[in-house]
Amino acid sequence: MADLLLELFSEEIPARMQAQGAKDLERLVIGALSDRGLLFEAAKAFSGPRRLTLAINGLPAKQPDVSEEKKGPRINAPEKAIEGFLRSAGVTLDQCEKRDDGKGEFYVAVISRKGRATAEVLAEILPETFAKLPWPKSMRFPGSPVRWVRPLHGIVCTLDGEVVPFEFAGVKSGDVTYGHRFLSQGPIEVRRFEDYEKKLHDAYVILDPARRKEIIWEDAKSQAFVHGLEPIADEGLLEEVAGLAEWPVVLTGKIEDQFMDVPAEILQTSMRTHQKYFSTKDSTGKLANRFIVVANMVAQDGGKEIIAGNERVLRARLSDAKFFWDQDRQTKLADRVNALKGIVFHAKLGTQYERVERIEALAGEIAEKIGADVAKAKRAARLCKADLTSGVVGEFPELQGVMGRYYALHDGEDAEVADAVRDHYKPLGPSDAVPTSLVSVAVALADKLDQLICFLAARERPTGSGDPYALRRAALGMIRIVLGTEARVPINALALEVYRVLLDVWGRNYLARYRMTDGESIPGAFTDFHPNEKYSGVDAVWARAIRGDLVLADPATIGGADWIFDPLLTPEKLCEEVILFLADRLKVALREKGTRHDLIDAIFSLGGEDDIVRLVARVEALQTFLKSDDGANLLTAYKRSANILKAEEKKDKAIYSGDPDPEAFVLPEEKALFVELATASELIRAEVGRERFVEAMGVMARLRKPVDAFFDKVTVNDKDPALRKNRLLLLSRLRATLHLVADFSKIEG
């Protein structure tokens, strides 16, 4: 068995691309080897600033020999058909066997191929594999069609210590690599992975990125401990700096006192974003005046000059941040709201100012529903986007909301209002906390619901894996907030209100002319369009649009706004889309809890359910019920009833619905089932109306015995047509009763 050592040595690869590049290299090479029958024992890939490395152990010296048979045409087939078969199989007629399958003789080509040497196969597949690496961004090599992430300087490829010769992007493979750019000199000859890793280490290169991360973090903790501090954990930054240094050296610098009155978030973001520094904190959790920098150099003076240089650069960075902070506080946050009129939220959805007006109205409605302070919720919504016009957020967009809270507190706003300004963006991801204050909850839900409704109305739905407007994240955020706080939010009513406002905005901003289907041009304002219409203003325009009376004029005359009114998107249809979109995200959110997605569909398909808290309670009660014997048997009975009804309705070309005639029943089992269904229907309606879903399932459980007895003793398809019809209507009543809780046809199993 042989071992493969492969290294691609280049100019500095961006840190964010290194880990995935190594994974892709391993995946593609292993796939190509497997396709050619070359199996192995183990493989491991490594990444660094200037190299991708792959080590594979236990490769065979050659491919296995292959023998296969290929069936051909009948011996009496046309000559051209036989010639085509021989060409495709790469054999002559003399090399073929004749077989008989009982229907006549046919040709069989027995193809035997000797396995090629592994080195020969590698020389063929590796250049093809390198060209397939899917870099997010790549460069074209001069005079070559090859694209790669950065200029390639060397390729190491040895199999069992011997060079595998090939060429890629004008670079020939060999057994020579190079160490650290500054701390080592001259080429390094390598043969196997063991001496390769050791020689690189001697040349100040730590090959394994996990080891580099470990060194950086342990040294950072040691350096901070000297000052009685600890570094602030930041996995993303740790990953990045490990990709910037082949020989990481951790040093500690000091932040000047003049900057320590700047909010900690500004300092931390500035150091992380621009300088790749780790921040530190004291024993109380407060940001400390020390930063940790990772150098890629061993300095003779112990790093004093490196620290001094980084402190000078940081001083300039923080001076800018402090300037913005001081300048921003000279203008009240409330006075910044009007400036949002100059910031376009989306070409189809107006400005940020118009969005704030919608969020303010929504936040007030939601606050009233969940018991929050309405005035505070509306005030927070009014201010929630104002910090977008500040200098700090212009420099550090990731601080939006955070800076709004600081400015609100500086202006003397209520603490709950300030917290809501900060928290309305939450949760930003699955690991982020949800807001807990009811005022913050109201504003956060309003922000996400407006985002969801507006983009769905504007026909900007996510497609595949693409979600440019983060609608999936907004929906998941809404669901997490609602389930975490049990906020009762009537989504349908709120969606209708947002859409009404949207129609008004769209109309007033973009529509200048209409023409009716007869070609009559109607210029003027909305209120002048149709004085005899029973609706007024934008409602009249919308009513006529969905009737089909109203079509847009030439889009060129109204700024190309041919997307504004979609006659197919009625307000009711929009609400349905919003609910279905949330349902899809709810399945994702509940999957980790073990909730079945088909049960969510079973509740949603009944329609009219737009309260997420109530929906989840119904789903959980239904799931518990179906796990019981009564639930499982009742589901089986439902499926049996549905199948009988479906078959008989198809045969009779009729729909069986309505009430059966109790006087027409003959057997005691069908009479008993009718009585139980009548009683259960009223009880289930009452329990569902009171949101006592567990109790509603208990009522359904009592149907098991009469249903089982009915199917044991009663023949549905009786010879008497009247009796048969009455029994089919009874099964229809059973189906309708169960549908009071959920659409059992959506339930699997």
Side-chain angles (χ1 to χ4, degrees):
M1 306 301 280
D3 296 338
L4 171 69
L5 170 62
L6 177 64
E7 180 202 71
L8 298 169
F9 181 76
S10 69
E11 292 293 332
E12 274 72 6
I13 303 169
R16 68 183 185 280
M17 301 183 189
Q18 292 171 18
Q20 188 59 47
K23 290 178 183 177
D24 289 333
L25 178 64
E26 180 180 358
R27 172 179 57 83
L28 291 170
V29 171
I30 287 174
L33 290 173
S34 300
D35 289 345
R36 287 156 178 81
L38 290 170
L39 305 180
F40 55 90
E41 294 175 359
K44 188 171 183 181
F46 305 88
S47 62
R50 297 202 294 162
R51 68 197 79 225
L52 297 181
T53 302
L54 178 62
I56 300 180
N57 304 117
L59 278 168
K62 61 186 288 294
Q63 289 176 300
D65 296 336
V66 176
S67 180
E68 61 177 335
E69 295 183 353
K70 188 173 183 179
K71 184 179 179 181
R74 301 284 176 185
I75 60 174
N76 58 355
E79 187 176 340
K80 288 190 178 297
I82 296 174
E83 290 176 357
F85 164 67
L86 296 175
R87 279 197 306 273
S88 66
V91 296
T92 64
L93 193 60
D94 295 337
Q95 295 173 305
C96 294
E97 298 179 2
K98 294 180 180 178
R99 305 263 178 95
D100 194 325
D101 59 0
K103 299 179 181 179
E105 289 187 312
F106 58 91
Y107 290 112
V108 175
V110 180
I111 306 168
S112 298
R113 288 197 300 269
K114 290 287 185 182
R116 299 162 62 196
T118 300
E120 184 181 341
V121 175
L122 287 169
E124 177 183 288
I125 66 173
L126 288 179
E128 298 173 358
T129 300
F130 301 158
K132 293 177 182 176
L133 280 170
W135 299 106
K137 289 185 178 180
S138 57
M139 304 171 65
R140 187 177 297 281
F141 285 67
S144 169
V146 174
R147 296 188 69 94
W148 220 64
V149 61
R150 289 294 184 269
L152 194 63
H153 292 316
I155 300 173
V156 170
C157 186
T158 65
L159 182 67
D160 212 20
E162 300 297 326
V163 173
V164 178
F166 62 86
E167 184 176 322
F168 173 71
V171 179
K172 293 182 179 180
S173 61
D175 58 2
V176 174
T177 187
Y178 295 85
H180 193 283
R181 186 184 288 275
F182 305 112
L183 298 176
S184 71
Q185 293 182 349
I188 302 170
E189 186 175 333
V190 295
R191 293 175 62 82
R192 302 177 186 276
F193 178 76
E194 292 76 15
D195 69 299
Y196 166 78
E197 186 175 28
K198 182 181 182 304
K199 287 180 178 179
L200 280 184
H201 190 275
D202 293 341
Y204 296 93
V205 174
I206 297 173
L207 181 65
D208 190 345
R211 177 59 183 150
R212 294 198 300 272
K213 288 169 61 176
E214 182 183 350
I215 290 171
I216 291 169
W217 191 242
E218 290 302 318
D219 287 355
K221 289 192 291 186
S222 298
Q223 291 270 353
F225 181 76
V226 172
H227 301 282
L229 308 171
E230 61 176 300
I232 296 176
D234 190 330
E235 184 62 31
L237 180 58
L238 181 60
E239 186 81 30
E240 186 171 8
V241 295
L244 296 174
E246 290 187 309
W247 191 262
V249 177
V250 177
L251 303 167
T252 305
K254 186 177 181 181
I255 305 171
E256 294 182 7
D257 292 341
Q258 61 172 317
F259 301 118
M260 294 308 296
D261 63 343
V262 176
E265 291 88 348
I266 299 179
L267 299 181
Q268 194 172 347
T269 302
S270 181
M271 289 190 290
R272 183 192 193 281
T273 304
H274 295 305
Q275 302 304 125
K276 315 304 177 191
Y277 298 160
F278 288 93
S279 303
T280 61
K281 60 183 178 181
D282 60 22
S283 58
T284 66
K286 182 181 178 183
L287 186 74
N289 65 344
R290 299 282 173 173
F291 66 89
I292 293 172
V293 58
V294 179
N296 189 31
M297 188 69 183
V298 178
Q300 293 181 352
D301 64 355
K304 292 181 181 179
E305 283 298 320
I306 295 176
I307 293 171
N310 279 277
E311 287 177 343
R312 284 195 300 272
V313 173
L314 182 61
R315 184 186 307 122
R317 288 289 187 189
L318 296 187
S319 294
D320 290 343
K322 181 175 174 57
F323 171 78
F324 288 130
W325 165 242
D326 292 338
Q327 286 292 110
D328 287 344
R329 286 180 294 166
Q330 294 179 18
T331 303
K332 286 189 174 184
L333 192 63
D335 294 338
R336 293 182 176 276
V337 175
N338 278 336
L340 294 173
K341 294 178 180 178
I343 301 177
V344 175
F345 170 54
H346 187 276
K348 298 180 181 182
L349 301 171
T351 65
Q352 286 285 4
Y353 182 85
E354 290 166 328
R355 186 174 187 225
V356 162
E357 288 190 316
R358 295 195 302 270
I359 295 174
E360 183 179 5
L362 269 177
E365 295 278 346
I366 294 172
E368 187 176 352
K369 300 292 183 186
I370 66 175
D373 188 305
V374 174
K376 289 181 181 180
K378 295 184 75 171
R379 180 63 175 174
R382 188 73 177 171
L383 302 176
C384 69
K385 304 296 181 184
D387 65 350
L388 296 178
T389 66
S390 68
V392 172
V393 174
E395 183 75 6
F396 306 111
E398 59 267 47
L399 291 182
Q400 57 188 352
V402 172
M403 295 314 303
R405 175 181 177 274
Y406 277 111
Y407 299 140
L409 290 175
H410 177 268
D411 296 342
E413 297 285 350
D414 183 88
E416 273 194 291
V417 171
D419 288 346
V421 171
R422 176 195 61 196
D423 294 342
H424 83 280
Y425 289 106
K426 293 183 177 182
L428 293 174
S431 60
D432 193 20
V434 300
T436 54
S437 163
L438 289 180
V439 173
S440 298
V441 166
V443 182
L445 287 175
D447 177 67
K448 291 164 179 59
L449 187 57
D450 176 81
Q451 179 183 354
L452 193 61
I453 294 167
C454 288
F455 281 107
L456 290 179
R459 294 324 216 181
E460 295 286 358
R461 293 180 62 90
T463 55
S465 60
D467 188 9
Y469 303 111
L471 300 191
R472 295 188 183 103
R473 187 175 71 186
L476 282 171
M478 277 187 62
I479 290 166
R480 286 189 58 201
I481 292 171
V482 167
L483 296 183
T485 60
E486 295 192 348
R488 309 301 295 269
V489 182
I491 295 171
N492 275 337
L494 295 172
L496 286 170
E497 177 62 21
V498 172
Y499 197 29
R500 188 198 67 77
V501 174
L502 266 183
L503 291 175
D504 186 64
V505 170
W506 284 347
R508 295 186 188 285
N509 286 354
Y510 296 103
L511 297 184
R513 291 194 324 174
Y514 287 94
R515 66 168 183 264
M516 297 184 69
T517 51
D518 63 1
E520 178 187 355
S521 179
I522 309 177
F526 276 105
T527 52
D528 299 327
F529 275 172
H530 206 295
N532 296 325
E533 188 75 51
K534 68 175 181 177
Y535 303 103
S536 62
V538 71
D539 295 325
V541 175
W542 176 247
R544 294 169 63 207
I546 61 174
R547 270 206 321 264
D549 303 346
L550 196 60
V551 295
L552 287 173
D554 180 1
T557 66
I558 53 172
D562 56 339
W563 40 262
I564 293 174
F565 282 125
D566 181 355
L568 298 178
L569 187 64
T570 63
E572 292 74 18
K573 178 65 175 175
L574 174 65
C575 289
E576 181 183 337
E577 285 196 19
V578 172
I579 295 297
L580 289 176
F581 191 87
L582 284 170
D584 287 340
R585 295 302 97 198
L586 186 61
K587 294 174 190 177
V588 175
L590 297 181
R591 185 179 299 154
E592 294 181 358
K593 295 175 61 177
T595 304
R596 290 168 46 179
H597 66 86
D598 58 324
L599 303 188
I600 298 175
D601 288 336
I603 300 296
F604 261 117
S605 62
L606 296 179
E609 185 58 86
D610 68 339
D611 185 321
I612 294 175
V613 173
R614 187 169 59 225
L615 169 81
V616 172
R618 292 179 69 169
V619 170
E620 290 175 348
L622 180 60
Q623 181 156 293
T624 301
F625 173 65
L626 291 175
K627 288 179 180 178
S628 68
D629 289 341
D630 288 338
N633 287 343
L634 198 58
L635 176 61
T636 301
Y638 172 88
K639 298 286 187 183
R640 184 175 179 182
S641 302
N643 289 336
I644 292 172
L645 283 169
K646 183 178 179 180
E648 299 308 307
E649 286 176 343
K650 182 178 180 181
K651 183 173 69 176
D652 298 345
K653 296 181 180 180
I655 301 296
Y656 290 102
S657 63
D659 296 328
D661 181 4
E663 300 298 327
F665 292 130
V666 175
L667 299 177
E669 289 80 9
E670 56 186 334
K671 294 178 181 179
L673 179 58
F674 175 77
V675 172
E676 288 293 337
L677 287 176
T679 304
S681 296
E682 296 303 318
L683 288 175
I684 290 173
R685 283 194 182 92
E687 299 292 13
V688 170
R690 290 195 292 266
E691 299 188 13
R692 290 159 48 94
F693 304 117
V694 174
E695 289 75 7
M697 301 302 163
V699 175
M700 284 207 308
R702 297 204 293 268
L703 292 173
R704 176 188 172 181
K705 288 185 178 179
V707 168
D708 288 348
F710 175 84
F711 281 115
D712 284 344
K713 302 295 184 180
V714 178
T715 302
V716 175
N717 287 319
D718 194 88
K719 294 180 181 179
D720 183 341
L723 196 56
R724 170 179 172 272
K725 179 180 178 181
N726 208 47
R727 289 171 177 173
L728 288 172
L729 288 173
L730 184 59
L731 291 185
S732 176
R733 168 65 74 88
L734 171 63
R735 178 174 62 184
T737 301
L738 297 184
H739 278 194
L740 293 173
V741 172
D743 184 349
F744 275 61
S745 68
K746 301 290 185 182
I747 299 175
E748 298 173 359

